[in-house]
Amino acid sequence: MSTTYTLDTKTDRAHPTPKPMKRLTVPAIRGRKTDGTSGEPLVMLTAYTVRMAQLLDPHCDMLLVGDSLGQVVYGLDSTIPVSLDMMIAHGAAVVRGSYHSVVIVDMPFGSYEQSPDHAIRSATRVMKETGAAAIKMEGGEAMAETVAFLSARGIPVMGHVGLTPQAVNVLGGHKVQGRDEATAAKVVSDAKAIDEAGAFSIVIEGVIEPIAIEATRATSCPTIGIGASAQCDGQVLVTEDMLGLFDRVPRFVKKYDDMAAQVSKAVESYAAEVRSRSFPEEAQTYQPKK
């Protein structure tokens, strides 16, 4: 059953309360693809904070609290050091800042691989402590049993195949998948296994386009591409990448703005006004009552 959410306006920095909307549901996302045919492509972006969630939410079907926050927010070299506590803290913030999108939280490295029992303990914490609608796990056939275990117990799972950043040490880096017969076959078989295990959608990352299309056609649930193909059933990007907040981004990223330059310009103006004592002006100060 959908729930209508409104945003808290009690704090000075709260976003204006939007027109009440019913939050999308996991079944609604899954239902975008029926009998192998997808409807309107699904829109997903990453979010790690309340404010960013507020800005993205009206335009997205899903918000992913990705373990990419390790690099984007914390400046880590990879996603490997990200902890479950970190994911839960950011997941709860994104849920509080959204009212429309389905919020999915990444399961970080080491929080689910050991066994289905291990995974459900971690996933239960995520669901209880964040209020998110689903979790995301990397891995293909090896994780199918866990996907089925969680799905059967009320925890919706988004899969993730192809280039899986948590396996960067096994893959030997962030290498595009599907260029040879072995990895191409693995991408497709992994996607089919996760689909058959009950995932409601699957991220396909860093895969050559023909194989991404083949995997999309081979699965009954929607696929979400990132460095894959426009023929996937939806797309996801790291928000900070597509906004142009970083100078260097992966080849598959399209920069829709140059926010880094805008931030730099604004801070330059602020610094100049502080140093010239032209800020604050009277409008930004408190004067004695007349």
Side-chain angles (χ1 to χ4, degrees):
M1 182 175 182
S2 298
T3 303
T4 299
Y5 286 81
T6 55
L7 298 180
D8 184 2
T9 57
K10 290 181 288 187
T11 63
D12 290 342
R13 289 183 173 83
H15 192 62
T17 303
K19 181 179 179 180
M21 298 176 67
K22 284 189 175 181
R23 191 184 285 273
L24 288 171
T25 64
V26 166
I29 299 299
R30 175 64 184 82
R32 287 285 185 93
K33 187 175 183 179
T34 56
D35 299 325
T37 302
S38 60
E40 183 179 45
L42 292 158
V43 178
M44 183 163 77
L45 285 169
T46 60
Y48 317 117
T49 64
V50 167
R51 185 56 181 151
M52 192 61 79
Q54 291 169 347
L55 294 172
L56 303 178
D57 189 52
H59 311 288
C60 294
D61 302 301
M62 295 177 284
L63 294 177
L64 174 65
V65 187
D67 59 358
S68 49
L69 64 84
Q71 292 139 306
V72 175
V73 178
Y74 293 97
L76 299 172
D77 290 336
S78 73
T79 63
I80 302 298
V82 174
S83 70
L84 192 62
D85 286 340
M86 290 163 68
M87 295 308 306
I88 287 171
H90 288 272
V94 170
V95 170
R96 287 194 295 270
S98 60
Y99 57 93
H100 168 251
S101 302
V102 170
V103 177
I104 301 112
V105 178
D106 252 336
M107 296 281 278
F109 180 72
S111 68
Y112 61 94
E113 298 92 339
Q114 183 178 343
S115 67
D117 285 339
H118 178 216
I120 200 166
R121 285 195 297 273
S122 299
T124 298
R125 272 199 67 196
V126 170
M127 301 291 282
K128 279 179 172 288
E129 296 179 36
T130 67
I135 58 95
K136 181 171 79 65
M137 297 192 314
E138 294 185 9
E141 291 181 280
M143 296 309 302
E145 179 187 359
T146 299
V147 171
F149 188 84
L150 296 182
S151 299
R153 287 160 179 78
I155 299 177
V157 179
M158 172 180 280
H160 185 152
V161 303
L163 171 55
T164 48
Q166 291 176 14
V168 64
N169 291 317
V170 173
L171 298 174
H174 294 84
K175 296 181 178 179
V176 174
Q177 302 296 295
R179 292 198 184 280
D180 57 78
E181 281 189 27
T183 59
K186 180 171 170 52
V187 169
V188 177
S189 62
D190 280 346
K192 289 171 68 175
I194 296 301
D195 178 38
E196 291 167 5
F200 74 92
S201 60
I202 302 171
V203 169
I204 300 178
E205 178 174 0
V207 173
I208 64 169
E209 186 167 33
I211 302 305
I213 293 172
E214 183 179 346
T216 295
R217 291 173 177 170
T219 51
S220 62
C221 70
T223 61
I224 311 298
I226 175 167
S229 172
Q231 298 307 306
C232 290
D233 304 305
Q235 300 294 324
V236 62
L237 284 175
V238 170
T239 298
E240 286 76 3
D241 285 346
M242 59 85 71
L243 290 178
L245 283 168
F246 289 106
D247 295 328
R248 183 177 179 276
V249 296
R251 174 182 171 177
F252 57 76
V253 173
K254 177 179 178 179
K255 288 189 178 183
Y256 286 81
D257 211 324
D258 186 5
M259 295 298 292
Q262 293 186 47
V263 170
S264 181
K265 182 179 179 181
V267 175
E268 182 182 15
S269 296
Y270 165 72
E273 290 189 7
V274 169
R275 290 172 179 136
S276 68
R277 298 189 185 277
S278 59
F279 173 83
E281 300 173 359
E282 185 175 350
Q284 290 93 41
T285 58
Y286 300 97
Q287 301 298 322
K289 290 184 178 180
K290 297 178 181 179

